[in-house]
Structure formats: structure tokens, C-alpha cells
């Protein structure tokens, strides 16, 4: 836990990048609203060109932020791995010498799993999750029926995720215990 606290500023920066990325995710919807509201009635090609260039700029900026965010988390995972690798190996080796018969490599495997979690897309889901209510409000603002459809779909996904957790908990627990042996 102390190691993670040392990277608090990096996580804060990733959170800021995520906030900007999620705000830019609304750009395509705003682009289409402007096209339907301003370009189609007036048939002004210059307006369409400018809106499209702004949209491309938003996409390029979003891609750059995604790249930087991913790079920061990969570096963070590598640094954390280097910082903990020796301590985890030493503690695992000493425990194996004291108790004997255990799986000394399991602790290093667990450390690798933590590093992969930090550098994978699962961590992005934690940063993106607080933006869900904002997106839902935006959908309701566009169209109430579409908002209820999105809300109903979300409820179905949450129920399916819960059922999946309940159904797979025991087999996963058994598989993990067999993998440790």
C-alpha cells in the first residue's frame, strides 16, 4: 500500500487525462448536432469543413492523451514491479525455507498479475466509471426515450455481471486453488 501511495500524483494525472478524454468523447455527438442544425439547412460547405477539422483535432488530441495515459501506467507498473520484485522474492524465498513445500513462485506470479492490472485496460474502467452518470444525463437530455433505453440496458448489464459473478465464483476459486498447488 505504501508503494501505491508513492504514485499518488501519477494516478491523479491519469485521472485528469481520463476526465479530458471522457469530455472529448462527447465531441462526435456535438459534431453531428451541429451538422444537422447548421450545415444541412444552410448547405454551407465551409461550416462543414471547419466542424470536421475541429472534430479531427479533437480525435487527434484524444488519441494523444490515450497514448500518454497508457504510457504513464506502463511506466508506473514497471517501476512498481522493480521496486517490489526483490522484496517479494526475498519474502517468498524465506517463507518457503521456513515452512517448506509451498509454492515460492506464487508471490511473484501475484506481483506480475498486479503489474498487468495496472498496465491493462481494467484500470481504465475504474477511471471511466464515474463518467457513466454524466453520459446518462446527456442521453436523457437528447431524448427521454433513448435515455430510458440506455438506463434499461445498463440495468441488464449490471444484472448479467452479478449473475456471472455468482455463477463463476466457485469454479474460479477451485481453479485458483489448484493453480497454486
Amino acid at each position: 500500500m505504501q508503494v501505491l501511495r508513492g504514485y499518488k500524483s501519477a494516478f491523479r494525472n491519469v485521472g485528469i487525462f481520463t476526465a479530458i478524454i471522457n469530455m472529448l468523447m462527447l465531441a462526435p455527438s456535438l459534431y453531428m448536432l451541429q451538422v444537422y442544425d447548421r450545415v444541412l439547412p444552410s448547405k454551407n460547405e465551409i461550416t462543414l469543413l471547419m466542424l470536421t477539422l475541429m472534430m479531427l483535432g479533437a480525435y487527434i488530441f484524444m488519441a494523444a492523451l490515450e497514448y500518454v495515459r497508457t504510457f504513464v501506467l506502463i511506466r508506473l507498473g514497471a517501476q512498481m514491479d522493480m521496486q517490489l520484485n526483490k522484496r517479494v522474492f526475498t519474502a517468498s524465498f524465506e517463507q518457503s525455507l521456513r515452512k517448506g513445500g509451498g509454492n515460492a513462485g506464487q508471490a511473484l506470479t501475484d506481483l506480475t498479475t498486479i503489474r498487468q492490472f495496472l498496465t491493462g485496460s481494467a484500470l481504465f474502467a475504474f477511471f471511466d466509471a464515474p463518467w457513466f452518470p454524466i453520459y446518462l444525463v446527456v442521453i436523457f437530455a437528447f431524448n427521454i426515450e433513448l435515455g430510458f433505453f440506455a438506463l434499461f440496458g445498463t440495468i441488464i448489464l449490471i444484472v448479467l455481471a452479478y449473475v456471472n459473478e455468482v455463477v463463476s465464483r466457485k469454479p474460479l476459486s477451485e481453479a485458483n486453488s489448484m493453480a497454486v498447488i
Side-chain angles (χ1 to χ4, degrees):
M1 197 53 115
Q2 292 173 339
V3 173
L4 288 176
R5 283 191 194 112
Y7 296 110
K8 189 191 317 189
S9 66
F11 283 122
R12 183 176 44 249
N13 290 338
V14 168
I16 291 169
F17 288 162
T18 300
I20 296 170
I21 289 167
N22 278 295
M23 283 189 281
L24 287 172
M25 289 283 193
L26 295 172
S29 300
L30 296 174
Y31 171 77
M32 291 310 297
L33 282 174
Q34 293 302 314
V35 167
Y36 288 130
D37 187 45
R38 298 182 191 281
V39 175
L40 289 179
S42 70
K43 296 181 174 128
N44 191 340
E45 294 174 1
I46 299 297
T47 304
L48 178 62
L49 177 66
M50 290 298 126
L51 286 172
T52 303
L53 288 175
M54 287 190 302
M55 189 66 218
L56 286 173
Y59 275 141
I60 291 168
F61 186 56
M62 188 168 48
L65 286 177
E66 281 280 351
Y67 177 77
V68 170
R69 178 174 78 162
T70 302
F71 182 75
V72 166
L73 286 177
I74 289 171
R75 291 276 315 256
L76 184 128
Q79 287 176 357
M80 188 191 74
D81 187 48
M82 288 189 315
Q83 199 172 7
L84 291 175
N85 202 355
K86 186 175 180 181
R87 288 196 289 183
V88 169
F89 177 77
T90 304
S92 175
F93 185 71
E94 288 175 357
Q95 181 183 13
S96 179
L97 286 177
R98 274 188 249 130
K99 293 188 177 180
N103 187 356
Q106 183 62 40
L108 290 173
T109 304
D110 292 343
L111 181 61
T112 301
T113 302
I114 291 170
R115 187 192 71 229
Q116 289 172 344
F117 172 77
L118 284 175
T119 59
S121 60
L123 186 61
F124 292 151
F126 286 112
F127 282 108
D128 289 337
W131 286 89
F132 164 72
I134 295 168
Y135 286 140
L136 199 57
V137 167
V138 169
I139 293 171
F140 269 105
F142 285 140
N143 187 322
I144 194 112
E145 290 93 10
L146 192 60
F148 280 115
F149 182 74
L151 183 62
F152 181 68
T154 302
I155 291 169
I156 289 173
L157 287 175
I158 290 171
V159 168
L160 287 173
Y162 178 74
V163 169
N164 182 39
E165 167 66 23
V166 169
V167 168
S168 64
R169 184 180 299 148
K170 186 177 179 191
L172 281 176
S173 176
E174 290 172 0
N176 284 336
S177 65
M178 291 184 77
V180 171
I181 296 175

